[in-house]
Amino acid sequence: MKLKVYADRMSQPTRAILIFCKVNGIDYEEVKVDISKGQHLTPEFAEINPMKQLPAIVDGRFKLFESHAILIYISCAFPGVADHWYPADLFKRSKIHSVLDWHHSNLRRGAAPYVVHSTLAPVFGRPLNPQAAAEAEELLSKSLSKIESVWLKGNGRFLLGGNQPSIADLSLVCEIMQLEIVDEKDRARILGPHKKVQQWIENTRIATQPHFDEVHKVLMKAKEKLQNQRLKKANGGGGSGMGKLSHSRM
Amino acid sequence: MRLKVYADRMSQPSRAVLIFCKVNGIDYEEIKVDLSKNQHLTPQFAEINPMQQLPAIVDGRFKLFESHSILIYLASVFPGVADHWYPADVFKRSKIHSVLDWHHNNLRRGPVAYVLHTTLAPTRGLPLNPQAAAEAEKFISSSLSKIESIWLKGNERFLLGGNNPSIADLSLVCEITQLEVLDEKDRNRLLGPHKKVQQWIENTRNATQPHFDEVHNILMRVKERLQNQRLKGANIEGGSSTKKPSVSRM
């Protein structure tokens, strides 16, 4: 019986799982659960994950939720997963745990709400919230600085300093990728100062191609749609037929 | 060279690590870092933990932060730690990971904030914040309900269902004990509806005595001091010499 991965590719932690499975040649069935349609809130899905969140997996009779727990489980339960993803070495493994733990209250707590409050809220029938977005941005920026000053301090290509990615790189990079759908100007402001982070994202992407790009397609299509909406609004709201977003603020 | 544990016993995750060490007979040196005096913000402590949070450990040349990561490291590296704390079985271990992950964004967001915004804020020179307290209360209530409906559903003694605690029980219970410093009335309102949680806290406490109570001594002294202040405040404000703190809200 194949591993089942309950997924929505607009969900950052879900993307990490999918890319991980593809890179490691793990045989699985992707079961789409559309968050924008509230499918994660159905009683059927609650049977899979009582927390009603994505991702979740079912492996035979075993159910599991929380993406970090899932990444670790798959690393341990499936043969052929290269050691660098979740090293057997206790010291390296502990470092990965501390990055993944830190992530919840820092990068994730900054990046995810920032994207929702500045851009995605209307998809869920909620209004944008510039104040909440500003608060989230502050935490996001602090987190990006911490990543650079603590884990990307040396010349390592990845968070643990080595030449290969771990599940920590995959999880955090997929989170930051969500920024692709916000206004270009905002993304440049937030990511621009962080050259090491940008390089690290690129390193992780290259190390997991073509799967990284393939799994991010849905996000990039959403990005394109939102960009077109912004342009339309700029043209419609600006009065003159200007193509640039200089007058309109979305 | 002995393990060093940088801790403040008013910090819930610090308590979990200390109790774990004592119960398992791990030889360590406790180094107090006083949060109320901002000792965690010194450059010296930043050398130990660049995130400037507690707890943190130094084992020989190895430094580690994030309590869940620390608990896992200690369970793995010290001989004599019973298997039930962090089972070798990959399925049980994964369940522990998912509880600990869930904790960050759910239970952990409740008691700290609630206690701060209703009780401890004045000691930090901050105003009380009823709105933030109300949000924190929502996290507490929904988290305790989730714990009961998912992990303690069948009247289990501990979160994983066995007869012995794991690091997940210790971590989450130490979070909830922070509520001890609250006004009796508030604590009853928050914990009262959750009989299974109350029983589980007691189970965890019993399984780790006398260390549980010993490590919680400081918290209980703070509780007593705050209770006396409330009584004094009630007597002064009440006008008459009523003993119950029913009038004053601290």
Side-chain angles (χ1 to χ4, degrees):
Chain A
M1 211 178 159
K2 267 206 292 191
L3 173 72
K4 287 187 177 169
V5 179
Y6 292 79
D8 180 332
R9 293 183 178 206
M10 284 300 289
S11 142
Q12 308 87 308
T14 298
R15 292 196 295 268
I17 306 288
L18 294 174
I19 294 168
F20 185 75
C21 286
K22 290 171 185 289
V23 167
N24 287 289
I26 287 160
D27 192 25
Y28 71 97
E29 175 192 346
E30 182 174 346
V31 181
K32 180 162 185 187
V33 180
D34 196 327
I35 295 176
S36 71
K37 296 187 176 136
Q39 289 177 355
H40 57 308
L41 301 173
T42 62
E44 293 81 15
F45 185 66
E47 288 290 310
I48 301 296
N49 179 7
M51 298 303 182
K52 305 198 211 192
Q53 290 175 313
L54 293 178
I57 60 165
V58 179
D59 194 16
R61 280 190 310 258
F62 182 61
K63 299 177 191 171
L64 192 62
F65 56 85
E66 283 294 340
S67 70
H68 298 166
I70 293 171
L71 286 165
I72 292 173
Y73 170 77
I74 297 177
S75 297
C76 299
F78 285 80
V81 174
D83 183 73
H84 62 80
W85 286 110
Y86 188 60
D89 175 84
L90 181 57
F91 301 106
K92 291 184 185 171
R93 191 172 274 204
S94 299
K95 291 284 184 187
I96 287 178
H97 292 155
S98 67
V99 175
L100 291 175
D101 286 345
W102 172 90
H103 177 42
H104 288 282
S105 310
N106 293 275
L107 181 63
R108 176 113 175 112
R109 198 171 292 178
Y114 176 75
V115 173
V116 169
H117 294 304
S118 69
T119 307
L120 273 187
V123 172
F124 304 109
R126 299 204 300 257
L128 297 176
N129 187 336
Q131 192 194 331
E135 282 172 30
E137 179 175 340
E138 206 184 313
L139 181 54
L140 170 55
S141 295
K142 251 177 39 188
S143 300
L144 294 175
S145 296
K146 275 282 189 236
I147 289 172
E148 293 200 327
S149 67
V150 175
W151 293 301
L152 297 177
K153 193 168 46 176
N155 285 318
R157 298 180 59 223
F158 298 101
L159 296 173
L160 253 60
N163 274 325
Q164 306 265 44
S166 69
I167 54 178
D169 299 284
L170 198 49
S171 173
L172 274 63
V173 166
C174 283
E175 189 67 51
I176 302 174
M177 286 300 290
Q178 202 78 346
L179 294 175
E180 285 292 328
I181 58 175
V182 309
D183 193 301
E184 191 89 37
K185 148 166 76 46
D186 295 323
R187 194 169 78 257
R189 180 184 69 249
I190 294 169
L191 279 179
H194 303 287
K195 302 284 181 259
K196 285 190 175 186
V197 163
Q198 292 176 48
Q199 183 60 60
W200 160 61
I201 292 172
E202 195 54 24
N203 295 342
T204 305
R205 186 173 163 254
I206 291 171
T208 54
Q209 290 292 43
H211 312 291
F212 190 96
D213 281 357
E214 195 266 311
V215 169
H216 278 88
K217 266 214 192 101
V218 171
L219 184 74
M220 298 316 244
K221 286 215 297 264
K223 167 189 176 119
E224 209 181 308
K225 202 165 81 186
L226 286 163
Q227 267 172 341
N228 290 339
Q229 283 178 7
R230 285 177 203 123
L231 279 172
K232 273 208 195 111
K233 252 200 176 173
N235 287 339
S240 64
M242 291 178 74
K244 283 185 95 71
L245 292 166
S246 40
H247 287 302
S248 152
R249 292 198 61 74
M250 197 199 156
Chain B
M1 209 177 158
R2 271 206 299 182
L3 172 73
K4 288 184 177 171
V5 179
Y6 293 79
D8 181 332
R9 293 181 179 207
M10 283 303 288
S11 140
Q12 310 87 304
S14 288
R15 293 196 293 268
V17 172
L18 292 173
I19 295 169
F20 184 78
C21 286
K22 289 173 185 288
V23 167
N24 287 289
I26 290 169
D27 191 25
Y28 72 97
E29 176 191 350
E30 181 176 345
I31 297 174
K32 179 166 184 182
V33 180
D34 196 325
L35 290 168
S36 70
K37 295 185 179 140
N38 285 333
Q39 289 177 354
H40 57 304
L41 300 175
T42 62
Q44 294 84 356
F45 185 66
E47 289 291 309
I48 301 297
N49 178 6
M51 299 306 182
Q52 309 193 262
Q53 290 176 312
L54 295 176
I57 62 166
V58 179
D59 193 18
R61 281 190 310 258
F62 182 60
K63 298 177 192 170
L64 192 62
F65 56 84
E66 283 293 340
S67 69
H68 297 167
S69 177
I70 291 170
L71 287 166
I72 290 173
Y73 171 79
L74 295 176
S76 307
V77 85
F78 282 86
V81 173
D83 183 72
H84 62 79
W85 286 109
Y86 188 60
D89 175 84
V90 75
F91 301 105
K92 291 184 184 170
R93 192 171 273 203
S94 298
K95 290 281 182 190
I96 288 178
H97 292 154
S98 67
V99 174
L100 290 175
D101 286 345
W102 171 88
H103 179 42
H104 287 281
N105 267 319
N106 291 276
L107 183 60
R108 178 97 176 114
R109 294 181 80 168
V112 187
Y114 187 81
V115 168
L116 177 67
H117 295 300
T118 58
T119 306
L120 285 185
T123 71
R124 311 263 174 94
L126 298 165
L128 296 174
N129 187 337
Q131 192 193 334
E135 279 173 36
E137 178 164 347
K138 275 205 268 205
F139 270 111
I140 295 175
S141 296
S142 87
S143 298
L144 295 181
S145 297
K146 280 267 191 263
I147 289 171
E148 292 198 326
S149 68
I150 294 170
W151 293 300
L152 299 177
K153 189 167 52 171
N155 288 315
E156 287 87 347
R157 294 187 62 221
F158 298 104
L159 298 173
L160 251 60
N163 274 325
N164 284 304
S166 70
I167 55 178
D169 299 284
L170 198 51
S171 173
L172 274 62
V173 166
C174 283
E175 191 68 46
I176 302 173
T177 53
Q178 200 76 351
L179 298 177
E180 284 293 328
V181 304
L182 295 177
D183 191 301
E184 191 90 36
K185 179 166 43 55
D186 292 326
R187 197 170 73 259
N188 287 340
R189 184 184 71 251
L190 293 168
L191 278 178
H194 302 287
K195 302 282 180 261
K196 288 186 180 187
V197 163
Q198 292 176 48
Q199 182 59 59
W200 161 61
I201 292 172
E202 198 54 28
N203 295 341
T204 304
R205 185 171 167 254
N206 288 337
T208 53
Q209 291 292 43
H211 313 289
F212 190 95
D213 281 357
E214 194 265 313
V215 168
H216 277 86
N217 252 347
I218 289 184
L219 185 76
M220 298 314 251
R221 284 214 302 265
V222 169
K223 167 192 175 112
E224 205 180 312
R225 203 174 71 213
L226 288 166
Q227 266 172 342
N228 290 339
Q229 284 177 6
R230 284 180 203 118
L231 278 172
K232 274 208 195 108
N235 286 341
I236 291 169
E237 277 188 35
S240 63
S241 52
T242 39
K243 292 207 198 74
K244 285 185 91 71
S246 43
V247 179
S248 153
R249 292 200 59 78
M250 200 204 147

